[in-house]
Amino acid sequence: MSDVGSRPGTASRPRPLSLTGLLRSFPMLVRRGLGTIGVAWATGAALLFLVCCLASFLYLWLALHQNETVAARRKSAEVLELVHVGGELVYAVQAYTDGGRHSVHALPALRDAWRSFDAQLNRKCLLPGGVVCTDAWLLREVLAPILAEDPPLFGHDEMHRVLVAHAELNRAGTVVATELETVIDRVIERYQTALAVLALSTLGFIASGLVLLLLVGRAALERHALYTQAREAEALLSETIEALPAGLTVYDSEERLMLFNAAAREISSVLTAPDAIGLTYTELAARAAAARGGDPAQQRERVQVWLQRFRAKGMPQTQRMPNGRWYEWSEKKTASDRTVGLRIDVTHIKTLQLQSDKARREYQRLVESLADVVFEVDIASGALIFVSAAAADLFGLPAAEMVGTVLLNHVHAEDRELLRDAVRRELHSGEGEVHQIGFRVLQASAEGANVVRYVEARYRRLVRDDGTAIVSGVVRDVDGEVRLARRLEQERARLRSIIDSSAALVVLTDRNLDILMVNHEFSVFSGLSSEQAVGRSLHTVFARPIDPFILAGWLDRSWTEKALTAARGTLTVVDAEGRERVVEVTARPVLNAEGLVRQIVFVGVDDTVRRETERALFDAERLKSVGTIAATVIHEVNQPLQVITLAAESALEDLEAATLARRSVEPAPVAAKFERVLKQVDRMVRITSELRAFSRATAAEKPAAFDVRGALASAVDLTAAPARHAGIALTLDQADDLPLVLGHVGRLEQVMINLINNARDALVESDPEGLRRDMVITVTARAVPTPRGNAVRITVDDNGPGIAADVLPRLFEMFVTTKPRTKGTGLGLAVCQRIVEEMGGSIVAANKPEGGARFTVMLPEAAPGSTEAVAQPVST
């Protein structure tokens, strides 16, 4: 059934409390409300209250007696008033009979006094009784006959009788007055006593009232504090219950819903009904079953199952709700006979459990599908307690047959002791540490003979929950790998023999250029044995084995084999015998699986002999260029010689004329002629010096940093005259801030002379008739930045026909030329390219869009203190 519950704090209606229950619970409530000390004070106040009540009753009793006294006093006053009225009547009689006369004037007063006396007598002494009334009636009896007459006549006897009766009436009045005074005195005494008792009772009432007020106030404050704490606790409990991620429901002893939280309402839709509170679990279960649908029989069966679980209060049960989520249901009975239901969302745990079960099944399938044998061995007995299905392939026996057998029985006899000792030794290192060992096992075959196979085991020591120590691990069949490794080792030894027998220098380094392996030729060349070389940096042998820019590019990112190219360079180093050698180095990186450079292979070829031959070729090419410009140089020298001859002949004629004339020679003209001679001599010296400097051998020179401007100016000077004679304007445009480059000045001059002469020949061949007057050769030099640093860019432009399209791609190859065989050998540009590359630069040729050819030479800036060049191309 869906979880049932309500908002916290919502409860069923309380039962009405009976009078008997209230009386029974009153002492407990009083004790809870006032405490022990409060009960003592309340008891004292109650006793004081009872005493005051008794005093009040006494006061009421005294008050009642006081009322009787007042009545007697009032009666006595009436009697005395009657006596007084009787006296006034007697006085009226005496006034009427004053001196024996019967005064007519006094008769009305007498009549009034009689009527007043008669009226008082009839009102106060209607019933006979009392001395005063008796005497008053006697007086009336005496006066009545007399006053009945008109006019009344009083004789001496009548007056005597009236006076006697009046005297008796006064005497009785005096007695009554005396008694009245005595009563009044006694009443006053009693009244004072009652007043004191009443005052004390009032004080007792006030004291008991104050005590009770204090007790009740204290109890009220405490109850209010408890009430506030209870409300806060109730609010906290309500918030806590509401904040619970689990559904919470509470049922009373009659299984009626008392409260539930929001989580329970979200879990069970029946709790959204406004009348959910007060419904029994059976009613809620019936609603939930109806909400799930199905025929009535299924609904009744579902309700019965839920009721049995609810009333059993047993173990928690997990079930899936219609919304697809899993909940753990549980009910617990409280001490007050209530039932608390808890609905915990265990979807995540259940999902993990299902995934765990699935993973366990997949793991079991994986173990069964592994080519490696998974095993467990009891350390105490050495018997196999689990073997995966792969054991049939490795050992030739079904896994079920191997379980219970001793593992060492399946191991080669020569390896059993080795395996036993290794396991004993390594298992003492600690639980959980993985160990590895290789050995041989026996594979059963159909023929009955055991086949030996090489295996590798990885295992660890574990302790099961029952305390059993086991060894768990996997056994891998490495028979093929072992046999292949042996063959590979043989091939490696053979390859090492081949590498050691190679005439090239072979070095294997890591990415930091630390040597990992060298061959025999490298050891001979460097004087370091293989053991001495391994671990050293290659920089200790070659100062700059590879361009740092290229190395940084290799190490900066991942590569593919196709995208990565080898780096080549030329190094000048000193071998173990102290000889200077030229080594052509090729560096090729070795990539790992991620495409990162892991190692670098350096192959060096001693190129000293070839370089010496090449330098001889350079010198021969230089001499060829010298021969090309020799005629022009001779012409340039002849012209100064003619000027010198004319100046000398003129000076001699002046000397002869002065001798014949017997006069002294004018010094100024002669000095001017000798100055002309000296200028021409300086000109010839400069021309011959440039020619001698260009034609001198440079094989023994070492590369050095130099300024290209001098080399460019010298090359232009040597080729200016031939260009001028051919009608070609040769110009030089070079910046003043050109950086120094590393190489030989003479070789750069050779390159520039070759390029200028080629441009001149192309222009001359394009104008065999000599009709053009706009032929120009421009040499330009500028400093340009490159990714590897600053460089000098030198361009040689002409406005000739350009280079043929079929020749341009092969222009720098040996023996490729556009000149007739009688004029060109095809070596000039190849030599130029070689010279430029030795300087670490590059040379390219291209046709200009506006016509003509352009050769561009890029030379890198020389590093401070550089004495050798590494041939790496400079980007154009």
Side-chain angles (χ1 to χ4, degrees):
M1 193 194 81
S2 302
D3 201 358
V4 285
S6 170
R7 292 170 296 278
T10 304
S12 59
R13 292 181 296 275
R15 299 177 182 177
L17 189 63
S18 64
L19 179 61
T20 304
L22 180 62
L23 293 176
R24 288 178 179 178
S25 62
F26 182 76
M28 179 182 65
L29 295 176
V30 171
R31 186 168 60 255
R32 287 181 180 178
L34 300 180
T36 304
I37 299 177
V39 170
W41 279 99
T43 302
L47 293 176
L48 181 62
F49 177 77
L50 291 177
V51 172
C52 293
C53 287
L54 291 176
S56 298
F57 285 134
L58 180 61
Y59 168 74
L60 292 175
W61 179 74
L62 292 175
L64 291 176
H65 283 277
Q66 182 180 1
N67 291 335
E68 293 177 0
T69 304
V70 170
R73 183 180 180 183
R74 183 169 57 253
K75 186 175 181 180
S76 298
E78 292 177 354
V79 170
L80 293 176
E81 185 179 0
L82 180 61
V83 171
H84 176 70
V85 172
E88 289 181 350
L89 176 61
V90 171
Y91 294 152
V93 170
Q94 290 177 353
Y96 178 72
T97 63
D98 185 22
R101 300 186 308 272
H102 292 80
S103 175
V104 179
H105 299 287
L107 184 61
L110 177 61
R111 295 286 186 190
D112 292 337
W114 169 253
R115 284 191 296 271
S116 176
F117 175 77
D118 186 59
Q120 289 286 341
L121 180 64
N122 289 327
R123 184 172 66 250
K124 298 176 180 180
C125 292
L126 181 64
L127 296 176
V131 177
V132 175
C133 290
T134 300
D135 294 337
W137 278 106
L138 290 177
L139 180 62
R140 185 180 184 282
E141 290 177 359
V142 173
L143 291 176
I146 298 173
L147 294 177
E149 296 176 358
D150 188 20
L153 298 176
F154 288 91
H156 181 265
D157 293 331
E158 284 82 3
M159 286 296 297
H160 181 265
R161 289 172 57 192
V162 169
L163 291 175
V164 171
H166 179 257
E168 289 294 331
L169 180 61
N170 285 335
R171 183 183 58 80
T174 303
V175 173
V176 170
T178 303
E179 291 178 353
L180 179 61
E181 291 296 330
T182 303
V183 171
I184 290 173
D185 292 337
R186 186 167 61 251
V187 168
I188 290 173
E189 291 179 4
R190 292 179 180 179
Y191 178 77
Q192 291 176 348
T193 303
L195 184 61
V197 172
L198 182 61
L200 292 176
S201 299
T202 303
L203 291 176
F205 273 119
I206 294 173
S208 61
L210 289 176
V211 171
L212 291 176
L213 181 62
L214 290 176
L215 291 175
V216 172
R218 172 175 170 270
L221 291 176
E222 291 179 352
R223 296 294 293 179
H224 181 267
L226 292 176
Y227 175 75
T228 303
Q229 294 176 359
R231 290 299 300 270
E232 292 177 354
E234 180 185 4
L236 178 60
L237 179 60
S238 176
E239 293 176 0
T240 304
I241 293 176
E242 281 295 308
L244 286 175
L248 181 68
T249 58
V250 179
Y251 298 86
D252 60 14
S253 59
E254 297 178 357
E255 298 183 356
R256 294 185 179 277
L257 180 64
M258 298 177 63
L259 64 88
F260 59 84
N261 63 355
R265 185 170 57 251
E266 293 178 359
I267 296 172
S268 178
S269 59
V270 299
L271 299 183
T272 58
D275 61 341
I277 293 297
L279 295 179
T280 64
Y281 186 87
T282 304
E283 295 170 340
L284 293 170
R287 291 187 181 184
R292 291 199 177 186
D295 56 62
Q298 292 177 341
Q299 295 181 15
R300 286 193 298 273
E301 182 180 358
R302 189 177 295 130
V303 170
Q304 289 301 321
V305 172
W306 290 343
L307 285 175
Q308 291 178 1
R309 177 194 52 75
F310 178 81
R311 292 168 180 172
K313 311 292 190 294
M315 295 295 293
Q317 297 181 3
T318 303
Q319 56 181 292
R320 191 173 186 178
M321 301 299 292
N323 59 1
R325 302 194 67 81
W326 292 86
Y327 292 93
E328 182 182 85
W329 291 32
S330 62
E331 283 80 19
K332 297 295 181 181
K333 191 173 183 179
T334 65
S336 59
D337 201 25
R338 292 184 175 90
T339 301
V340 177
L342 195 60
R343 310 294 183 258
I344 302 175
D345 188 347
V346 294
T347 304
H348 180 66
I349 299 175
K350 189 66 177 180
T351 303
L352 293 179
Q353 181 181 354
L354 295 175
Q355 292 176 353
S356 176
D357 295 340
K358 180 180 178 182
R360 187 179 297 107
R361 294 191 298 270
E362 292 178 352
Y363 173 75
Q364 186 66 29
R365 290 195 298 267
L366 177 63
V367 168
E368 296 298 331
S369 64
L370 284 176
D372 297 343
V373 178
V374 181
F375 71 93
E376 288 184 353
V377 177
D378 185 358
I379 294 179
S381 62
L384 291 165
I385 56 179
F386 173 78
V387 182
S388 64
D393 298 329
L394 180 59
F395 294 96
L397 296 173
E401 294 183 12
M402 293 190 65
V403 173
T405 62
V406 178
L407 175 62
L408 291 178
N409 294 338
H410 303 281
V411 179
H412 193 276
E414 297 178 0
D415 294 342
R416 291 175 184 175
E417 196 64 29
L418 172 67
L419 179 61
R420 183 185 292 109
D421 294 341
V423 171
R424 288 176 179 174
R425 181 177 61 255
E426 292 172 350
L427 289 181
H428 286 88
S429 60
E431 180 181 342
E433 185 175 349
V434 178
H435 305 282
Q436 182 174 340
I437 188 173
F439 54 93
R440 291 169 292 176
V441 298
L442 301 177
Q443 183 184 53
S445 62
E447 293 78 10
N450 291 328
V451 179
V452 178
R453 299 191 66 84
Y454 290 90
V455 297
E456 179 183 81
R458 294 173 61 86
Y459 58 94
R460 69 174 66 187
R461 179 179 181 272
L462 299 175
V463 178
R464 285 185 168 180
D465 295 337
D466 58 0
T468 304
I470 64 171
V471 172
S472 177
V474 294
V475 176
R476 172 171 296 180
D477 186 357
V478 295
D479 189 75
E481 288 87 339
V482 170
R483 301 183 190 279
L484 181 62
R486 290 181 175 179
R487 290 196 298 271
L488 180 61
E489 187 62 30
Q490 295 173 358
E491 291 296 326
R492 184 178 298 166
R494 188 169 64 86
L495 180 60
R496 180 57 185 255
S497 176
I498 294 173
I499 293 176
D500 284 339
S501 62
S502 173
L505 311 179
V506 180
V507 182
L508 178 65
T509 70
D510 60 12
R511 57 189 289 122
N512 298 320
L513 299 186
D514 292 332
I515 298 175
L516 302 176
M517 187 194 73
V518 298
N519 68 342
H520 176 71
E521 189 64 24
F522 178 86
S523 298
V524 173
F525 182 87
S526 63
L528 299 174
S529 64
S530 178
E531 293 76 10
Q532 293 173 333
V534 173
R536 295 170 62 117
S537 175
L538 190 59
H539 289 289
T540 61
V541 182
F542 302 132
R544 197 177 182 211
I546 188 172
D547 191 326
F549 180 81
I550 293 179
L551 180 61
W554 284 352
L555 304 180
D556 184 56
R557 63 183 181 90
S558 59
W559 295 83
T560 60
E561 292 290 346
K562 293 182 179 180
L564 200 60
T565 59
R568 295 176 176 82
T570 303
L571 302 178
T572 302
V573 296
V574 178
D575 62 9
E577 298 179 0
R579 297 175 299 175
E580 187 177 85
R581 312 296 290 177
V582 178
V583 181
E584 290 287 337
V585 178
T586 301
R588 177 75 184 186
V590 179
L591 304 180
N592 59 13
E594 290 78 21
L596 299 176
V597 174
R598 180 170 59 94
Q599 297 170 343
I600 303 175
V601 178
F602 290 88
V603 178
V605 178
D606 190 348
D607 203 32
T608 305
V609 176
R610 191 189 66 81
R611 284 301 182 95
E612 290 175 352
T613 304
E614 189 178 69
R615 286 172 180 173
L617 178 61
F618 292 169
D619 294 339
E621 187 68 20
R622 184 191 304 279
L623 293 176
K624 175 179 173 293
S625 298
V626 171
T628 303
I629 61 176
T632 304
V633 172
I634 293 172
H635 176 74
E636 290 294 315
V637 172
N638 282 336
Q639 185 178 359
L641 287 176
Q642 291 176 3
V643 174
I644 292 171
T645 301
L646 293 175
E649 290 176 352
S650 177
L652 288 175
E653 290 176 356
D654 290 341
L655 289 175
E656 290 177 357
T659 301
L660 293 175
R662 296 179 181 271
R663 59 182 175 82
S664 60
V665 179
E666 292 290 337
V670 175
K673 293 174 182 179
F674 278 107
E675 287 179 0
R676 291 179 61 191
V677 170
L678 292 175
K679 288 181 180 180
Q680 297 303 318
V681 170
D682 290 339
R683 180 181 176 186
M684 288 188 297
V685 170
R686 180 174 56 80
I687 293 173
T688 55
S689 296
E690 291 176 354
L691 182 60
R692 183 174 66 253
F694 175 70
S695 60
R696 71 179 182 269
T698 60
E701 295 181 5
K702 292 185 178 180
F706 67 92
D707 191 347
V708 300
R709 292 179 297 177
L712 296 180
S714 178
V716 170
D717 285 343
L718 289 174
T719 56
R724 187 170 58 254
H725 294 159
I728 300 171
L730 176 60
T731 60
L732 173 62
D733 180 13
Q734 55 184 348
D736 295 332
D737 57 347
L738 298 180
L740 301 181
V741 299
L742 186 65
H744 301 86
V745 178
R747 291 186 182 179
L748 182 58
E749 291 177 356
Q750 180 178 348
V751 172
M752 300 311 299
I753 289 173
N754 199 324
L755 295 179
I756 294 172
N757 287 339
N758 287 345
R760 182 198 65 195
D761 294 341
L763 288 170
V764 171
E765 291 175 2
S766 67
D767 185 29
E769 301 297 332
L771 301 177
R772 292 186 60 182
R773 296 293 182 267
D774 60 345
M775 294 186 294
V776 177
I777 298 176
T778 304
V779 180
T780 306
R782 294 288 186 272
V784 294
T786 67
R788 296 170 54 189
N790 294 328
V792 177
R793 182 177 62 197
I794 305 171
T795 58
V796 179
D797 295 337
D798 66 63
N799 58 351
I803 305 170
D806 59 331
V807 177
L808 186 58
R810 303 179 294 110
L811 189 61
F812 293 97
E813 296 179 6
M814 288 285 190
F815 308 112
V816 175
T817 180
T818 59
K819 298 178 182 179
R821 292 186 178 274
T822 57
K823 290 186 177 181
T825 62
L827 298 176
L829 290 179
V831 171
C832 290
Q833 185 183 43
R834 188 65 180 176
I835 292 173
V836 172
E837 289 180 351
E838 284 186 1
M839 298 176 67
S842 63
I843 180 171
V844 294
N847 289 321
K848 298 187 296 183
E850 65 273 16
R854 169 176 291 172
F855 285 82
T856 303
V857 178
M858 294 288 291
L859 298 176
E861 181 181 8
S866 297
T867 59
E868 64 176 25
V870 178
Q872 302 295 346
V874 178
S875 301
T876 58

